[in-house]
Amino acid sequence: MTRNLVLLRHGKSDWDVPATDRERPLTARGRRQAREAGEWLAEHGPALDLAVVSTARRTTQTWELASAALADPPPVRPEEAAYSFSATDLLGLVRALGDERAVVLAGHDPALEDLLDALVGRPVRMRTSELAVLELPGWDTAGDGAARLVAHGRPPVA
C-alpha cells in the first residue's frame, strides 16, 4: 500500500531572543510561514493520520500554527528523536511507523534535507517552512531512493 509522507521544516526562528536552541521561538515571519504551510496542506495535502513533531519550541509552534488550518488535524506525537540533525535518526522514525497511511514529520535541517535526499535518491533543498510531499511504497522501504516527490517548496508549493 502506498504511503504519504509530508516533511515540514520549522518556520524562521528568532535568534535575537536569549534562549537555548531547543527553546528558540518563531519570528513573526516564521509564524506567517507556518500558517501558510497549514493552509496549503488543508487544500492540497493528503488526509493525515499522524503528526510526528520535534520537541523543539520552534517546531511545535510551527505544527500548532499549521495544523490550525486543517479541518481534521491528526493526533500529534511529540518525538524527542525528531529533534535531531541526523537523517539516520529520522529515517529510523519513518521506518518504525505502523499502519498510518499519511504522516507529517516536522523537524529540522540538515536532517530533513538529508532524509529527503535519501528518500528520493537525489539532492533536494529544504528551506525554513518548506514542505515536501512524498509517496513511498511502504515505511519499511524508506531510504532506498524509491519515494516519489509529489510537491515541494514554500506555499504556494509547485
Side-chain angles (χ1 to χ4, degrees), residues 3 23 110 122 131 135:
R3 308 292 186 187
E23 292 302 319
R122 64 182 170 84
L131 293 159
E135 288 181 352

Side-chain angles (χ1 to χ4, degrees), residues 21-121:
D21 181 74
R22 180 182 296 279
E23 292 302 319
R24 197 168 54 246
L26 294 175
T27 63
R29 182 174 94 187
R31 290 189 298 276
R32 177 185 50 80
Q33 291 171 331
R35 285 189 292 273
E36 290 170 351
E39 291 165 3
W40 186 89
L41 276 174
E43 188 172 339
H44 304 287
L48 297 167
D49 300 312
L50 178 66
V52 177
V53 181
S54 161
T55 55
R57 183 175 179 198
R58 62 193 177 276
T59 313
T60 58
Q61 286 180 318
T62 296
W63 180 247
E64 287 168 2
L65 291 164
S67 66
L70 303 177
D72 189 20
V76 176
R77 187 174 87 201
E79 183 60 61
E80 183 65 30
Y83 179 59
S84 174
F85 305 98
S86 164
T88 303
D89 292 341
L90 299 186
L91 188 56
L93 289 174
V94 172
R95 287 182 176 161
L97 291 169
D99 294 333
E100 299 88 2
R101 290 184 305 194
V103 175
V104 60
L105 173 58
H108 309 268
D109 210 36
L112 281 179
E113 189 170 296
D114 293 344
L115 174 63
L116 182 55
D117 294 355
L119 293 173
V120 299

